[in-house]
Amino acid sequence: MTQTDPNSPPRLTDRAQLARNRNRATPDGLFLQRLAADEVKDRLTEVNRTFTKTAIVTGFPEIWARAFPDAKIVTDDDTLDLTPGAHDLVIHGLSLHWANDPVGQLIQAKRALVPDGLFIGVMFGGQTLSELRAILSEVEIEVTGGLSPRILPMGEIRDLGALLQRAGFALPVADSDLREVRYPDATALIRDLRLMGERNALDQRLIQPLSRHFLTTINERYAQHFSAEGGRVSASFDLVFLTGWAPDDSQPKPLRPGSAAARLADALGTDETKLTD
């Protein structure tokens, strides 16, 4: 467990361990990073705008630089190396779920945008590894009588969308793309998380590795509850996309309450009936 200043706010992520995990990632293991980058590119084709000053915040620069060769690549440190007002597009590339202060990351990204600049982020959401979470909790309670932090907590889409509003983005939108990946067994899934660079980097994690008996029980229980065709098991990865714009006077704004020029009853062709007290 990492020692921290008792007067400092609690940290979610051990950044040193996260860096070690990412250094162990392999090209084959980064398929979800490539998928996320491709999906962001596809979404940008639907925006009627040409972006010439792009910045990308990521823990895997080689993947995102290949997808966006003209972009400035920025490491997802707590303090981002972004110049205020320097970019018309900021992408947060599948690393925001590890942020100690996700709202702070979003605020820094917004400050780096020109007025009416676009932010688009992708991160793992609350349904990610829901199967593994359930099995780990079930088995650990049976074996040890308690629970320990083994998988990163991830936000639900409604809460993640609210982060955009808290950061001050205009026209915020959040949506989810749930993907199912199949593995021979739970051990193969856990091994693949290492190849992704997504192993446990929680600041309060337990250092003790899983025992062979523990892993065997997890494999058996996982196969019982989450089996798939061909004798394999399924695992969910929930990609949540966050989109927002830096505020600008040119953007559409909601009407003031009471400013409607026509009655709803007239539009529907019905009579308006007042409610009784």
Side-chain angles (χ1 to χ4, degrees):
M1 186 182 302
T2 304
Q3 297 295 320
T4 59
D5 183 348
N7 297 319
S8 64
R11 295 190 310 172
L12 173 68
T13 303
D14 179 347
R15 300 291 303 183
Q17 182 60 45
L18 180 61
R20 289 191 289 269
N21 290 350
R22 288 171 170 175
N23 286 337
R24 298 186 185 110
T26 66
D28 288 343
L30 296 178
F31 64 95
L32 289 175
Q33 292 284 336
R34 289 191 293 272
L35 175 67
D38 289 342
E39 179 64 22
V40 169
K41 290 180 69 174
D42 287 344
R43 288 168 180 253
L44 288 173
T45 63
E46 301 175 3
V47 180
N48 188 24
R49 187 78 61 86
T50 298
F51 299 101
T52 59
K53 297 177 290 184
T54 301
I56 301 177
V57 181
T58 177
F60 294 97
E62 66 281 2
I63 298 295
W64 291 86
R66 191 175 302 122
F68 297 88
D70 297 327
K72 175 182 179 180
I73 304 298
V74 177
T75 304
D76 63 325
D77 296 325
D78 290 337
T79 300
L80 302 178
D81 183 21
L82 292 172
T83 302
H87 301 282
D88 55 7
L89 172 64
V90 174
I91 300 169
H92 213 301
L94 202 54
S95 60
L96 189 58
H97 50 282
W98 283 115
N100 282 308
D101 181 9
V103 175
Q105 294 268 303
L106 294 177
I107 290 173
Q108 292 179 74
K110 182 173 71 70
R111 288 174 179 168
L113 288 168
V114 298
D116 204 33
L118 177 63
F119 169 83
I120 181 167
V122 54
M123 62 189 298
F124 286 125
Q127 297 184 66
T128 299
L129 299 176
S130 57
E131 305 88 352
L132 184 59
R133 294 174 194 274
I135 296 303
L136 281 173
S137 298
E138 180 180 305
V139 173
E140 189 165 23
I141 289 174
E142 291 180 6
V143 173
T144 69
L147 286 174
S148 58
R150 296 190 181 276
I151 299 180
L152 176 72
M154 300 175 192
E156 299 298 331
I157 187 169
R158 178 180 298 180
D159 299 325
L160 297 176
L163 297 183
L164 290 168
Q165 294 178 310
R166 289 177 58 190
F169 281 102
L171 309 174
V173 176
D175 65 279
S176 173
D177 182 6
L178 187 63
R179 300 289 180 129
E180 179 184 291
V181 182
R182 296 185 178 182
Y183 293 94
D185 52 31
T187 298
L189 165 58
I190 294 171
R191 184 183 304 115
D192 212 23
L193 293 176
R194 178 178 63 82
L195 302 182
M196 295 178 190
E198 296 288 346
R199 288 289 294 272
N200 192 351
L202 290 169
D203 191 60
Q204 301 300 317
R205 71 192 183 281
L206 293 180
I207 304 299
Q208 182 178 355
L210 300 178
S211 67
R212 179 172 297 181
H213 170 70
F214 196 87
L215 279 172
T216 299
T217 306
I218 289 172
N219 275 327
E220 294 172 351
R221 203 70 56 86
Y222 203 115
Q224 291 172 7
H225 292 285
F226 302 109
S227 61
E229 294 181 1
R232 301 171 76 83
V233 298
S234 62
S236 298
F237 291 91
D238 183 16
L239 298 179
V240 174
F241 292 85
L242 305 176
T243 305
W245 296 82
D248 185 70
D249 291 339
S250 66
Q251 295 164 347
K253 296 176 176 59
L255 295 174
R256 298 189 309 275
S259 63
R263 298 188 312 149
L264 179 61
D266 293 338
L268 297 177
T270 63
D271 295 329
E272 182 177 13
T273 304
K274 292 184 178 181
L275 296 174
T276 58
D277 294 334

